[in-house]
Amino acid sequence: MLTKIQVARLDEIDRLGSRTVTIGDREVAIFRLSDGTVRALENRCPHKAGRLSEGMVCGAAVHCPLHDWKIDLISGQVREPDHGQVTVYETEIDEKDGAIYISL
């Protein structure tokens, strides 16, 4: 069963910006893309555990700040030539008040 948790408000995250939230023992990076959509994923690169929330967003990918691995913000898949996967969390934005929710 999925649990929906409010993690931020849309006006708290700049376009192409990010925010980190800790839920229990999970650290989640929340990204706002240039088109206004919000994506959430595990805040840990599978290569050397770089904090993805500190990386640069380019299109629908985030570049790990340590070694520039590119992680797809929709699928969590590391882009070639590198390999790996990070956990992606479903996001939802409340149209009335801009609250951002993720499902765990």
XYZ file of all heavy atoms in Angstrom:
808
model
N 0.833 -1.177 0.000
C 0.000 0.000 0.000
C 0.886 1.252 0.000
O 1.844 1.359 0.763
C -0.881 -0.008 1.252
C -1.829 1.149 1.297
S -3.016 0.887 2.611
C -2.941 2.450 3.406
N 0.575 2.200 -0.871
C 1.332 3.430 -0.964
C 0.810 4.457 0.031
O -0.388 4.556 0.271
C 1.238 4.011 -2.373
C 1.912 3.216 -3.482
C 1.686 3.905 -4.821
C 3.392 3.055 -3.227
N 1.722 5.235 0.585
C 1.381 6.318 1.482
C 1.753 7.619 0.810
O 2.878 7.786 0.337
C 2.156 6.191 2.812
O 1.852 4.928 3.398
C 1.797 7.301 3.761
N 0.810 8.567 0.752
C 1.044 9.867 0.137
C 1.458 10.851 1.228
O 0.773 10.996 2.233
C -0.226 10.328 -0.577
C -0.043 11.528 -1.440
C -1.194 11.725 -2.396
C -2.378 12.352 -1.705
N -3.417 12.793 -2.638
N 2.603 11.531 1.024
C 3.161 12.435 2.023
C 3.438 13.788 1.381
O 4.070 13.857 0.316
C 4.483 11.862 2.592
C 4.217 10.536 3.276
C 5.135 12.853 3.544
C 5.475 9.804 3.656
N 2.988 14.859 2.040
C 3.312 16.193 1.547
C 4.758 16.503 1.890
O 5.180 16.367 3.036
C 2.404 17.258 2.151
C 2.701 18.631 1.583
C 1.793 19.722 2.109
O 0.785 19.467 2.742
N 2.168 20.958 1.832
N 5.521 16.950 0.870
C 6.950 17.184 1.073
C 7.375 18.630 0.842
O 8.456 19.032 1.263
C 7.793 16.246 0.185
C 7.658 14.803 0.648
C 7.426 16.384 -1.282
N 6.560 19.419 0.163
C 6.918 20.807 -0.138
C 5.723 21.486 -0.792
O 4.669 20.869 -0.985
C 8.132 20.872 -1.060
N 5.949 22.734 -1.147
C 4.985 23.484 -1.953
C 5.697 23.897 -3.238
O 6.909 24.130 -3.239
C 4.486 24.722 -1.201
C 3.631 24.394 0.000
C 3.172 25.646 0.738
N 2.895 26.808 -0.087
C 1.731 27.043 -0.719
N 0.732 26.183 -0.597
N 1.566 28.125 -1.461
N 4.937 23.988 -4.308
C 5.509 24.300 -5.615
C 6.270 25.623 -5.608
O 7.344 25.730 -6.192
C 4.390 24.331 -6.664
C 4.808 24.282 -8.115
C 5.636 23.051 -8.407
C 3.591 24.338 -9.016
N 5.768 26.617 -4.895
C 6.434 27.920 -4.882
C 7.716 27.930 -4.049
O 8.448 28.920 -4.033
C 5.489 29.019 -4.412
C 4.937 28.807 -3.012
O 5.324 27.833 -2.324
O 4.094 29.621 -2.586
N 8.047 26.834 -3.399
C 9.284 26.730 -2.618
C 10.467 26.208 -3.425
O 11.597 26.213 -2.943
C 9.073 25.804 -1.416
C 8.060 26.321 -0.423
C 7.736 25.315 0.665
O 7.939 24.092 0.453
O 7.279 25.753 1.721
N 10.191 25.750 -4.652
C 11.255 25.181 -5.487
C 11.294 25.940 -6.813
O 10.315 25.954 -7.551
C 11.029 23.673 -5.747
C 10.869 22.913 -4.438
C 12.187 23.098 -6.573
C 10.476 21.466 -4.612
N 12.415 26.575 -7.106
C 12.572 27.300 -8.367
C 12.573 26.317 -9.533
O 12.949 25.150 -9.376
C 13.903 28.065 -8.388
C 13.958 29.169 -7.358
O 12.895 29.723 -7.011
O 15.073 29.476 -6.890
N 12.202 26.799 -10.713
C 12.337 25.968 -11.913
C 13.810 25.595 -12.070
O 14.686 26.429 -11.859
C 11.830 26.690 -13.149
C 10.313 26.801 -13.158
C 9.820 27.460 -14.425
N 8.406 27.769 -14.310
C 7.435 26.971 -14.749
N 7.737 25.830 -15.331
N 6.181 27.314 -14.611
N 14.057 24.350 -12.385
C 15.390 23.741 -12.486
C 16.092 23.666 -11.138
O 17.286 23.414 -11.068
C 16.263 24.459 -13.509
C 15.748 24.465 -14.939
C 16.712 25.206 -15.851
C 15.521 23.053 -15.454
N 15.333 23.846 -10.063
C 15.889 23.743 -8.724
C 15.519 22.421 -8.071
O 14.817 21.592 -8.651
N 15.997 22.248 -6.841
C 15.715 21.016 -6.120
C 15.565 21.298 -4.639
O 15.904 22.379 -4.154
C 16.828 19.991 -6.345
O 18.019 20.437 -5.743
N 15.099 20.307 -3.950
C 14.954 20.350 -2.501
C 15.161 18.925 -2.005
O 14.813 17.970 -2.684
C 13.564 20.838 -2.136
C 13.234 20.569 -0.678
C 12.045 21.319 -0.265
N 12.499 22.688 -0.064
C 11.842 23.569 0.633
N 10.713 23.241 1.184
N 12.286 24.776 0.798
N 15.713 18.794 -0.818
C 15.923 17.486 -0.210
C 15.009 17.342 0.993
O 14.893 18.278 1.790
C 17.383 17.330 0.251
O 18.233 17.527 -0.877
C 17.635 15.955 0.823
N 14.365 16.190 1.098
C 13.559 15.881 2.280
C 13.983 14.513 2.796
O 14.387 13.644 2.037
C 12.042 15.902 1.996
C 11.578 17.289 1.609
C 11.652 14.900 0.931
N 13.901 14.359 4.107
C 14.197 13.075 4.722
C 12.905 12.527 5.303
O 12.219 13.204 6.062
C 15.256 13.231 5.834
O 16.431 13.802 5.250
C 15.601 11.894 6.451
N 12.587 11.302 4.915
C 11.387 10.633 5.392
C 11.834 9.302 5.971
O 12.233 8.402 5.236
C 10.368 10.419 4.258
C 10.020 11.766 3.614
C 9.129 9.715 4.777
C 9.319 11.653 2.295
N 11.813 9.217 7.296
C 12.353 8.025 7.953
C 13.829 7.918 7.647
O 14.590 8.854 7.877
N 14.230 6.797 7.053
C 15.642 6.613 6.699
C 15.913 6.903 5.221
O 16.991 6.622 4.718
C 16.089 5.194 7.053
C 15.326 4.124 6.283
O 14.293 4.448 5.658
O 15.763 2.965 6.314
N 14.936 7.491 4.530
C 15.095 7.792 3.105
C 15.374 9.271 2.901
O 14.700 10.118 3.471
C 13.809 7.484 2.334
C 13.341 6.090 2.423
C 12.029 5.966 1.698
N 11.288 4.832 2.199
C 10.458 4.134 1.476
N 10.231 4.453 0.225
N 9.821 3.112 2.000
N 16.348 9.558 2.060
C 16.585 10.927 1.638
C 16.119 11.026 0.191
O 16.571 10.271 -0.669
C 18.062 11.296 1.761
C 18.292 12.773 1.543
C 19.689 13.210 1.903
O 20.038 13.128 3.102
O 20.418 13.630 0.982
N 15.194 11.948 -0.047
C 14.565 12.086 -1.359
C 14.895 13.458 -1.940
O 14.790 14.472 -1.245
C 13.030 11.917 -1.239
C 12.359 12.087 -2.596
C 12.681 10.557 -0.633
N 15.298 13.474 -3.198
C 15.549 14.724 -3.923
C 14.307 15.027 -4.759
O 13.802 14.161 -5.472
C 16.761 14.574 -4.831
N 13.835 16.260 -4.641
C 12.660 16.690 -5.393
C 13.124 17.757 -6.373
O 13.765 18.734 -5.981
C 11.582 17.248 -4.456
C 11.207 16.173 -3.440
C 10.361 17.711 -5.239
C 10.473 16.697 -2.261
N 12.813 17.564 -7.650
C 13.260 18.465 -8.702
C 12.062 19.091 -9.400
O 11.067 18.422 -9.663
C 14.062 17.693 -9.763
C 15.313 17.069 -9.227
C 15.309 15.769 -8.750
C 16.494 17.787 -9.202
C 16.465 15.194 -8.263
C 17.661 17.217 -8.719
C 17.645 15.927 -8.246
N 12.193 20.376 -9.713
C 11.186 21.058 -10.521
C 11.806 21.324 -11.883
O 12.833 22.013 -11.988
C 10.747 22.351 -9.865
C 9.611 23.024 -10.601
C 9.051 24.176 -9.816
N 8.012 24.834 -10.555
C 7.571 26.048 -10.280
N 8.074 26.707 -9.248
N 6.632 26.585 -11.006
N 11.203 20.769 -12.925
C 11.750 20.887 -14.275
C 11.335 22.204 -14.915
O 10.474 22.924 -14.399
C 11.291 19.704 -15.122
C 11.599 18.313 -14.546
C 11.201 17.232 -15.520
C 13.048 18.184 -14.156
N 11.920 22.527 -16.052
C 11.647 23.800 -16.723
C 10.193 23.932 -17.150
O 9.671 25.041 -17.227
C 12.565 23.985 -17.932
O 12.375 22.955 -18.869
N 9.520 22.809 -17.399
C 8.108 22.872 -17.789
C 7.169 22.926 -16.578
O 5.954 22.903 -16.723
C 7.732 21.703 -18.698
C 7.822 20.348 -18.014
O 8.124 20.283 -16.796
O 7.581 19.332 -18.695
N 7.736 22.980 -15.366
C 6.933 23.085 -14.156
C 6.599 21.757 -13.504
O 6.088 21.739 -12.386
N 6.861 20.643 -14.185
C 6.580 19.343 -13.580
C 7.561 19.080 -12.446
O 8.647 19.662 -12.395
C 6.654 18.185 -14.599
O 7.950 18.164 -15.176
C 5.592 18.339 -15.677
N 7.171 18.196 -11.558
C 7.993 17.859 -10.396
C 8.305 16.368 -10.427
O 7.424 15.548 -10.697
C 7.261 18.231 -9.088
C 8.046 17.778 -7.867
C 7.016 19.735 -9.034
N 9.554 16.037 -10.171
C 10.004 14.642 -10.106
C 10.702 14.429 -8.773
O 11.316 15.351 -8.225
C 10.983 14.325 -11.237
C 10.446 14.567 -12.617
C 9.448 13.513 -13.011
N 8.975 13.767 -14.353
C 7.724 13.604 -14.722
N 6.836 13.195 -13.856
N 7.368 13.844 -15.955
N 10.625 13.206 -8.265
C 11.271 12.877 -6.996
C 11.995 11.551 -7.148
O 11.468 10.599 -7.729
C 10.244 12.789 -5.876
N 13.210 11.506 -6.631
C 13.958 10.256 -6.657
C 14.935 10.190 -5.495
O 15.192 11.175 -4.812
C 14.669 10.041 -7.996
C 15.467 11.146 -8.636
C 16.925 11.057 -8.244
C 15.359 10.993 -10.130
N 15.403 9.006 -5.296
C 16.400 8.739 -4.256
C 17.562 9.713 -4.432
O 18.043 9.914 -5.547
C 16.845 7.290 -4.448
C 17.997 6.819 -3.677
C 18.371 5.386 -4.071
O 17.797 4.816 -5.018
O 19.261 4.857 -3.397
N 18.011 10.315 -3.354
C 19.044 11.349 -3.424
C 20.445 10.748 -3.330
O 21.281 11.189 -2.557
C 18.841 12.382 -2.305
C 19.663 13.623 -2.520
O 19.992 13.968 -3.640
N 19.999 14.301 -1.437
N 20.684 9.734 -4.148
C 21.954 9.014 -4.048
C 22.300 8.398 -5.401
O 21.591 7.530 -5.897
C 21.802 7.921 -3.001
C 23.033 7.158 -2.685
C 22.733 6.151 -1.559
N 23.906 5.420 -1.220
C 24.362 4.361 -1.882
N 23.700 3.900 -2.913
N 25.456 3.761 -1.511
N 23.400 8.847 -5.979
C 23.858 8.267 -7.232
C 24.351 6.842 -6.968
O 25.049 6.603 -5.974
C 24.991 9.119 -7.808
S 25.670 8.473 -9.352
N 24.036 5.888 -7.850
C 24.479 4.512 -7.631
C 25.988 4.315 -7.812
O 26.524 3.294 -7.420
C 23.695 3.708 -8.672
C 23.301 4.675 -9.713
C 23.184 6.012 -9.035
N 26.678 5.289 -8.350
C 28.107 5.159 -8.586
C 28.918 5.361 -7.308
O 29.515 4.427 -6.786
C 28.544 6.156 -9.670
C 30.000 6.162 -9.950
N 30.730 7.325 -10.007
C 30.878 5.173 -10.198
C 31.988 7.038 -10.277
N 32.109 5.740 -10.406
N 28.906 6.565 -6.759
C 29.700 6.880 -5.567
C 28.871 7.626 -4.524
O 29.409 8.363 -3.714
C 30.920 7.738 -5.932
C 31.912 7.049 -6.840
C 32.797 6.118 -6.068
C 33.858 5.547 -7.002
N 34.777 4.693 -6.322
N 27.549 7.452 -4.588
C 26.610 8.022 -3.611
C 26.576 9.549 -3.602
O 26.290 10.163 -2.578
C 26.880 7.493 -2.215
N 26.863 10.183 -4.741
C 26.757 11.635 -4.832
C 25.326 12.082 -4.566
O 24.379 11.392 -4.920
N 25.185 13.235 -3.938
C 23.856 13.775 -3.622
C 23.283 14.406 -4.889
O 23.708 15.473 -5.312
C 23.950 14.792 -2.498
C 24.467 14.141 -1.206
C 24.411 15.073 -0.039
N 22.999 15.131 0.374
C 22.425 16.227 0.824
N 23.102 17.339 0.944
N 21.156 16.204 1.180
N 22.303 13.735 -5.490
C 21.742 14.183 -6.756
C 21.083 15.550 -6.645
O 21.050 16.302 -7.613
C 20.754 13.141 -7.283
C 21.378 11.782 -7.605
C 20.315 10.805 -8.051
C 22.466 11.924 -8.645
N 20.584 15.893 -5.462
C 19.955 17.196 -5.264
C 20.941 18.342 -5.485
O 20.537 19.479 -5.706
C 19.359 17.295 -3.862
O 20.376 17.142 -2.887
N 22.235 18.054 -5.473
C 23.263 19.067 -5.700
C 23.718 19.102 -7.160
O 24.575 19.908 -7.526
C 24.463 18.805 -4.793
C 24.120 18.929 -3.325
C 25.250 18.519 -2.397
O 26.352 18.185 -2.884
O 25.020 18.523 -1.178
N 23.127 18.234 -7.982
C 23.499 18.170 -9.392
C 22.721 19.161 -10.234
O 21.758 19.777 -9.795
N 23.150 19.304 -11.473
C 22.506 20.214 -12.410
C 21.434 19.465 -13.200
O 21.679 18.365 -13.707
C 23.545 20.804 -13.370
C 22.947 21.807 -14.323
S 24.165 22.703 -15.323
C 25.067 21.392 -16.098
N 20.261 20.080 -13.311
C 19.172 19.509 -14.096
C 19.308 20.002 -15.528
O 19.485 21.198 -15.774
C 17.796 19.920 -13.519
C 16.675 19.448 -14.423
C 17.630 19.358 -12.116
N 19.239 19.071 -16.461
C 19.308 19.400 -17.882
C 18.232 18.583 -18.587
O 18.354 17.357 -18.680
C 20.690 19.081 -18.423
S 20.908 19.573 -20.135
N 17.180 19.243 -19.032
C 16.061 18.530 -19.632
C 15.389 17.672 -18.586
O 14.983 18.160 -17.540
N 15.293 16.376 -18.846
C 14.669 15.437 -17.913
C 15.704 14.553 -17.237
O 15.441 13.403 -16.897
C 13.638 14.581 -18.632
N 16.914 15.098 -17.034
C 17.976 14.342 -16.370
C 18.673 15.233 -15.363
O 18.686 16.460 -15.490
C 18.988 13.818 -17.383
N 19.254 14.589 -14.359
C 20.103 15.298 -13.404
C 21.509 14.727 -13.548
O 21.693 13.529 -13.730
C 19.575 15.184 -11.951
C 19.541 13.743 -11.474
C 20.398 16.043 -11.003
N 22.502 15.614 -13.497
C 23.901 15.208 -13.601
C 24.463 15.100 -12.194
O 24.439 16.073 -11.437
C 24.708 16.249 -14.388
C 24.281 16.375 -15.807
N 25.159 16.230 -16.853
C 23.076 16.627 -16.374
C 24.513 16.392 -17.991
N 23.250 16.641 -17.724
N 24.965 13.939 -11.837
C 25.549 13.746 -10.517
C 26.712 14.724 -10.347
O 27.556 14.853 -11.243
C 26.043 12.311 -10.353
S 26.866 12.045 -8.756
N 26.763 15.423 -9.199
C 27.819 16.418 -9.007
C 29.223 15.826 -8.837
O 30.210 16.547 -8.972
C 27.383 17.159 -7.746
C 26.560 16.167 -6.996
C 25.856 15.354 -8.056
N 29.332 14.543 -8.560
C 30.664 13.958 -8.351
C 31.364 13.583 -9.649
O 32.515 13.931 -9.867
C 30.568 12.728 -7.440
C 30.131 12.979 -6.002
C 30.134 11.674 -5.225
C 31.015 14.018 -5.341
N 30.682 12.814 -10.513
C 31.343 12.307 -11.716
C 30.499 12.459 -12.978
O 30.725 11.766 -13.971
C 31.730 10.833 -11.518
C 32.668 10.641 -10.376
N 32.248 10.188 -9.146
C 33.993 10.884 -10.256
C 33.279 10.147 -8.319
N 34.346 10.564 -8.968
N 29.499 13.334 -12.913
C 28.679 13.690 -14.078
C 27.876 12.529 -14.665
O 27.557 12.538 -15.850
C 29.541 14.345 -15.165
C 28.707 15.162 -16.135
O 27.736 15.816 -15.690
O 28.999 15.135 -17.349
N 27.557 11.524 -13.864
C 26.646 10.497 -14.355
C 25.297 11.165 -14.580
O 24.876 12.024 -13.794
C 26.498 9.376 -13.341
C 27.615 8.380 -13.366
C 28.929 8.599 -13.637
C 27.496 6.986 -13.087
N 29.647 7.433 -13.535
C 28.782 6.420 -13.202
C 26.432 6.168 -12.735
C 29.025 5.069 -12.994
C 26.685 4.821 -12.530
C 27.968 4.283 -12.663
N 24.598 10.775 -15.637
C 23.306 11.360 -15.966
C 22.194 10.378 -15.590
O 22.186 9.248 -16.060
C 23.262 11.714 -17.443
C 24.235 12.824 -17.792
C 24.569 12.840 -19.262
C 25.763 13.698 -19.559
N 27.028 13.173 -19.067
N 21.272 10.838 -14.741
C 20.179 9.987 -14.273
C 18.870 10.565 -14.787
O 18.571 11.751 -14.595
C 20.166 9.874 -12.729
C 21.402 9.094 -12.242
C 18.921 9.162 -12.252
C 22.480 9.922 -11.735
N 18.091 9.734 -15.460
C 16.800 10.140 -15.986
C 15.840 10.400 -14.828
O 15.657 9.533 -13.970
C 16.250 9.038 -16.903
C 15.018 9.480 -17.634
O 13.949 9.507 -17.006
O 15.129 9.795 -18.830
N 15.232 11.582 -14.792
C 14.349 11.951 -13.694
C 12.989 11.279 -13.771
O 12.231 11.308 -12.803
C 14.171 13.477 -13.656
C 15.412 14.250 -13.227
C 15.246 15.730 -13.515
C 15.692 14.016 -11.755
N 12.656 10.676 -14.890
C 11.361 10.004 -15.033
C 11.482 8.528 -14.683
O 10.674 7.986 -13.932
C 10.808 10.200 -16.454
C 10.579 11.698 -16.700
C 9.513 9.410 -16.654
C 10.322 12.070 -18.126
N 12.516 7.872 -15.193
C 12.653 6.425 -14.981
C 13.632 6.062 -13.863
O 13.604 4.947 -13.356
C 13.131 5.759 -16.278
O 14.470 6.147 -16.568
N 14.549 6.974 -13.521
C 15.592 6.668 -12.544
C 16.755 5.904 -13.141
O 17.725 5.582 -12.457
N 16.702 5.641 -14.429
C 17.743 4.886 -15.117
C 18.957 5.768 -15.380
O 18.826 6.910 -15.805
C 17.198 4.358 -16.453
C 18.130 3.441 -17.201
C 18.302 2.111 -16.499
O 17.347 1.539 -16.003
N 19.515 1.630 -16.474
N 20.147 5.233 -15.121
C 21.383 5.927 -15.452
C 21.574 5.820 -16.956
O 21.400 4.753 -17.544
C 22.580 5.298 -14.701
C 23.882 5.934 -15.148
C 22.394 5.433 -13.202
N 21.919 6.920 -17.580
C 22.094 6.942 -19.033
C 23.459 6.411 -19.431
O 24.438 6.555 -18.704
C 21.894 8.362 -19.560
C 20.452 8.829 -19.368
C 20.182 10.099 -20.085
N 18.780 10.486 -19.927
C 18.327 11.682 -20.238
N 19.130 12.599 -20.722
N 17.044 11.954 -20.067
N 23.500 5.792 -20.606
C 24.736 5.223 -21.148
C 25.764 6.310 -21.344
O 25.408 7.448 -21.599
C 24.444 4.521 -22.470
C 23.618 3.269 -22.277
C 23.445 2.494 -23.571
O 23.916 2.951 -24.639
O 22.843 1.433 -23.515
N 27.027 6.014 -21.216
C 27.626 4.690 -21.171
C 27.645 4.070 -19.775
O 28.122 2.956 -19.593
C 29.051 4.926 -21.664
C 29.364 6.301 -21.172
C 28.055 7.061 -21.272
N 27.131 4.791 -18.773
C 27.142 4.276 -17.409
C 25.910 3.409 -17.172
O 24.993 3.375 -17.994
C 27.205 5.446 -16.422
C 28.415 6.336 -16.689
O 29.526 5.788 -16.746
O 28.242 7.546 -16.876
N 25.875 2.707 -16.043
C 24.779 1.784 -15.763
C 24.337 1.914 -14.321
O 25.160 2.155 -13.432
C 25.225 0.331 -16.012
C 25.742 0.099 -17.390
N 24.922 -0.026 -18.475
C 27.013 0.003 -17.858
C 25.655 -0.207 -19.556
N 26.940 -0.193 -19.209
N 23.066 1.717 -14.091
C 22.538 1.744 -12.734
C 21.099 2.230 -12.719
O 20.516 2.551 -13.758
N 20.551 2.297 -11.524
C 19.150 2.669 -11.343
C 18.987 3.297 -9.966
O 19.622 2.852 -9.005
C 18.265 1.408 -11.437
C 16.795 1.624 -11.238
C 16.112 2.196 -12.462
O 16.502 1.889 -13.593
N 15.111 3.021 -12.248
N 18.159 4.323 -9.866
C 17.791 4.877 -8.567
C 16.269 4.785 -8.430
O 15.545 4.727 -9.424
C 18.266 6.336 -8.367
C 19.768 6.434 -8.403
C 17.648 7.267 -9.373
N 15.810 4.783 -7.208
C 14.376 4.691 -6.938
C 13.696 5.997 -7.304
O 14.171 7.082 -6.966
C 14.131 4.391 -5.447
O 14.820 3.192 -5.112
C 12.663 4.243 -5.146
N 12.577 5.885 -8.014
C 11.759 7.032 -8.402
C 10.481 6.983 -7.583
O 9.906 5.918 -7.372
C 11.417 6.975 -9.908
C 10.443 8.073 -10.298
C 12.675 7.054 -10.743
N 10.039 8.156 -7.123
C 8.803 8.250 -6.349
C 7.759 9.018 -7.149
O 8.067 10.055 -7.752
C 9.065 8.964 -5.016
C 10.084 8.244 -4.169
C 11.408 8.641 -4.167
C 9.722 7.143 -3.408
C 12.359 7.981 -3.413
C 10.665 6.470 -2.651
C 11.985 6.896 -2.653
O 12.918 6.224 -1.911
N 6.552 8.503 -7.143
C 5.445 9.156 -7.832
C 5.157 10.495 -7.157
O 5.150 10.597 -5.932
C 4.214 8.258 -7.763
C 3.001 8.808 -8.458
C 1.807 7.883 -8.326
O 1.993 6.658 -8.264
O 0.684 8.414 -8.272
N 4.947 11.530 -7.963
C 4.651 12.853 -7.424
C 3.259 13.306 -7.844
O 2.736 12.875 -8.867
C 5.674 13.910 -7.899
O 5.624 13.992 -9.322
C 7.068 13.588 -7.445
N 2.703 14.192 -7.038
C 1.393 14.772 -7.327
C 1.399 16.202 -6.795
O 1.928 16.467 -5.714
C 0.308 13.952 -6.625
C -1.088 14.433 -6.858
C -2.104 13.586 -6.097
O -1.869 12.371 -5.915
O -3.118 14.163 -5.673
N 0.821 17.124 -7.571
C 0.726 18.520 -7.149
C -0.747 18.866 -6.979
O -1.546 18.651 -7.892
C 1.370 19.467 -8.176
C 2.833 19.117 -8.368
C 1.197 20.925 -7.737
C 3.502 19.852 -9.509
N -1.110 19.403 -5.825
C -2.473 19.860 -5.570
C -2.651 21.185 -6.305
O -1.956 22.162 -6.004
C -2.708 20.038 -4.073
C -4.145 20.372 -3.743
O -4.747 21.214 -4.447
O -4.672 19.807 -2.772
N -3.544 21.216 -7.271
C -3.747 22.408 -8.092
C -4.247 23.599 -7.278
O -4.008 24.747 -7.641
C -4.748 22.095 -9.217
C -4.270 21.036 -10.192
C -3.070 21.473 -10.999
O -2.962 22.683 -11.328
O -2.215 20.626 -11.305
N -4.924 23.351 -6.182
C -5.506 24.454 -5.376
C -4.451 25.218 -4.591
O -4.453 26.444 -4.575
C -6.560 23.900 -4.419
C -7.776 23.365 -5.112
C -8.761 22.821 -4.105
C -9.918 22.174 -4.835
N -10.840 21.503 -3.917
N -3.568 24.504 -3.895
C -2.619 25.193 -3.012
C -1.146 24.936 -3.366
O -0.262 25.436 -2.689
C -2.875 24.833 -1.561
C -2.622 23.376 -1.237
O -2.205 22.608 -2.115
O -2.848 22.991 -0.069
N -0.871 24.169 -4.420
C 0.500 23.936 -4.847
C 1.279 22.955 -3.981
O 2.488 22.839 -4.108
N 0.584 22.230 -3.088
C 1.265 21.250 -2.254
C 1.797 20.122 -3.130
O 1.121 19.649 -4.040
C 0.320 20.696 -1.201
N 3.040 19.699 -2.831
C 3.669 18.582 -3.563
C 3.626 17.363 -2.659
O 4.052 17.413 -1.509
C 5.126 18.917 -3.924
C 5.190 20.164 -4.805
C 5.791 17.720 -4.611
C 6.614 20.681 -5.007
N 3.136 16.258 -3.214
C 3.065 14.988 -2.504
C 3.907 13.960 -3.241
O 3.993 13.974 -4.455
C 1.623 14.473 -2.444
C 0.681 15.369 -1.686
C -0.004 16.393 -2.327
C 0.476 15.193 -0.319
C -0.873 17.228 -1.616
C -0.384 16.008 0.395
C -1.053 17.019 -0.269
O -1.908 17.833 0.437
N 4.518 13.056 -2.468
C 5.145 11.881 -3.067
C 4.504 10.645 -2.451
O 3.996 10.692 -1.332
C 6.675 11.846 -2.902
C 7.083 11.762 -1.425
C 7.326 13.032 -3.577
C 8.568 11.486 -1.249
N 4.525 9.575 -3.207
C 3.981 8.295 -2.727
C 5.123 7.360 -2.393
O 6.035 7.154 -3.187
C 3.089 7.663 -3.798
O 1.973 8.489 -4.054
N 5.059 6.813 -1.172
C 6.068 5.846 -0.721
C 5.425 4.482 -0.594
O 4.294 4.367 -0.198
C 6.645 6.261 0.628
C 7.368 7.602 0.673
C 7.847 7.872 2.089
C 8.558 7.619 -0.253
